[in-house]
Amino acid sequence: MAKIAIITDSNSGITQKQGEEQGIYVLPMPFMINDETYFEDVNLDAEKFYQEQTAGSDILTSQPSPESVTSLWDKLLGEGYDEIVHIPMSSGLSGSCQSAMMLAQDYDGKVQVVNNQRISVTQRQSAFDAKVLAANGYHAEEIREKLEADKFNSSIYIMLDTLYYLKKGGRITPAAAALGTILRLKPVLQIQGEKLDAYAKARTTEQGKSIMVKAIKSDMESRFGGITDGTGYHIAMAHTQNLAAAEAWREEVSKEFPAADIYIDRLPLSIACHIGPGALAITATKKMTYERS
């Protein structure tokens, strides 16, 4: 059986320590803060990031350098791995996937880059699925094909606490942000496949939560097979600097999906950069079948 290395990036929410414990290699995502380079979970933790963000620092996201990617690949292949499965963040949200795919062309099929359009806890689940598939005897190319075939079997809905950072990043106009602030709107965004898109506008936090839970249930009914109690799904919640609210909401969500164990994690800093603190998110990912058909 081939020895296969699983690589993802810190957009998955998997920390360096967790990666070591789980046997998953995690590329740290780079950030420019006031023209200085930082790396997520290396010299940039969430606390420092949000301190800089709320202080008004200039923060830009970036992608791992080609050298950092190929150096890791070369190291692992030199240490006895036969193949590599590399799972970057969604190609619709960053150029890191396309860059890795180009770099992999020089590796004669030994490196398979997965373009399954996941991020945060759904990307995390893909890395865990890849580990199980490798343990079940799948080759790297087969793992890539299976993960990519599964890419639309997940949804993420995110409720923002503020429109300020969307306005700052130029994603909405100042006038729209001002109107939304006056009306105290809580935008709900969605990630299904490639892009982060608008989904709905809530007037209150409670309404926003209700919209997201109904949207997840609708996806379960119309896209994922019809079961809505959580059976057969990985249900997870995520947040930006809002853990207490996420934990409190989990109690409510557990009643809606009684068959699911609900995991909580923070949204990656690359998303937080654009939406700011105080956000809440809920995700559903259909559980993968690991047996060969």
Side-chain angles (χ1 to χ4, degrees):
M1 187 168 68
K3 186 179 180 184
I4 299 175
I6 308 300
I7 300 175
T8 188
D9 57 44
S10 59
N11 287 299
S12 65
I14 301 174
T15 66
Q16 296 295 321
K17 181 179 179 181
Q18 290 169 344
E20 291 176 6
E21 293 170 348
Q22 298 292 332
I24 295 171
Y25 298 90
V26 182
L27 273 169
M29 296 301 291
F31 290 79
M32 294 292 294
I33 301 179
N34 295 331
D35 298 323
E36 186 173 347
T37 302
Y38 293 86
F39 294 90
E40 187 169 8
D41 196 40
V42 176
N43 61 347
L44 179 64
D45 60 17
E47 182 178 359
K48 178 174 176 56
F49 173 87
Y50 287 111
Q51 285 176 349
E52 295 286 352
Q53 187 177 56
T54 55
S57 298
D58 291 325
I59 303 176
L60 298 174
T61 57
S62 187
Q63 57 180 283
S65 68
E67 293 77 15
S68 66
V69 175
T70 56
S71 292
L72 179 56
W73 292 352
D74 293 341
K75 175 178 179 290
L76 295 176
L77 291 172
E79 290 179 349
Y81 285 100
D82 302 301
E83 298 177 317
I84 291 171
V85 175
H86 184 99
I87 309 170
M89 70 182 290
S90 171
S91 60
L93 301 173
S94 169
S96 58
C97 184
Q98 291 92 333
S99 297
M101 291 172 72
M102 291 179 61
L103 294 170
Q105 293 175 7
D106 294 331
Y107 283 79
D108 299 322
K110 291 183 178 180
V111 177
Q112 297 289 320
V113 178
V114 178
N115 183 15
N116 71 333
Q117 299 170 353
R118 302 281 179 91
I119 193 169
S120 187
V121 288
T122 61
Q123 182 183 352
R124 171 184 180 271
Q125 186 58 50
S126 292
F128 291 156
D129 288 339
K131 283 286 292 181
V132 176
L133 291 169
N136 284 2
Y138 285 75
H139 291 283
E141 184 176 10
E142 294 175 310
I143 295 172
R144 176 185 60 76
E145 290 173 349
K146 194 163 178 66
L147 292 179
E148 289 181 348
D150 193 58
K151 65 183 177 182
F152 291 118
N153 286 332
S154 73
S155 292
I156 301 177
Y157 294 91
I158 308 170
M159 179 179 63
L160 276 58
D161 185 55
T162 175
L163 292 165
Y164 173 79
Y165 296 96
L166 287 180
K167 180 188 76 172
K168 185 177 181 180
R171 293 175 181 262
I172 60 172
T173 65
L179 180 60
T181 300
I182 291 171
L183 297 176
R184 297 183 179 179
L185 295 179
K186 303 286 186 182
V188 176
L189 310 180
Q190 66 175 336
I191 301 176
Q192 290 182 8
E194 290 189 352
K195 294 182 179 179
L196 179 68
D197 292 319
Y199 179 75
K201 296 183 181 70
R203 290 297 184 93
T204 66
T205 297
E206 291 306 311
Q207 184 185 31
K209 291 176 183 177
S210 177
I211 286 171
M212 290 191 288
V213 170
K214 288 178 180 178
I216 287 290
K217 287 198 167 188
S218 176
D219 288 340
M220 288 178 174
E221 291 175 344
S222 62
R223 296 174 53 213
F224 301 151
I227 301 174
T228 61
D229 67 352
T231 301
Y233 297 93
H234 301 286
I235 306 293
M237 302 171 67
H239 64 94
T240 55
Q241 204 72 342
N242 206 12
L243 177 59
E247 289 176 336
W249 189 31
R250 177 165 58 182
E251 299 302 315
E252 302 172 34
V253 172
S254 295
K255 298 174 184 177
E256 300 288 340
F257 305 106
D261 292 325
I262 300 175
Y263 172 77
I264 296 180
D265 203 352
R266 62 174 180 82
L267 284 163
L269 300 184
S270 59
I271 289 183
C273 188
H274 300 295
I275 66 175
L280 286 174
I282 184 170
T283 82
T285 302
K286 190 174 181 179
K287 290 183 178 179
M288 178 178 287
T289 300
Y290 301 121
E291 293 77 16
R292 294 180 184 274
S293 58

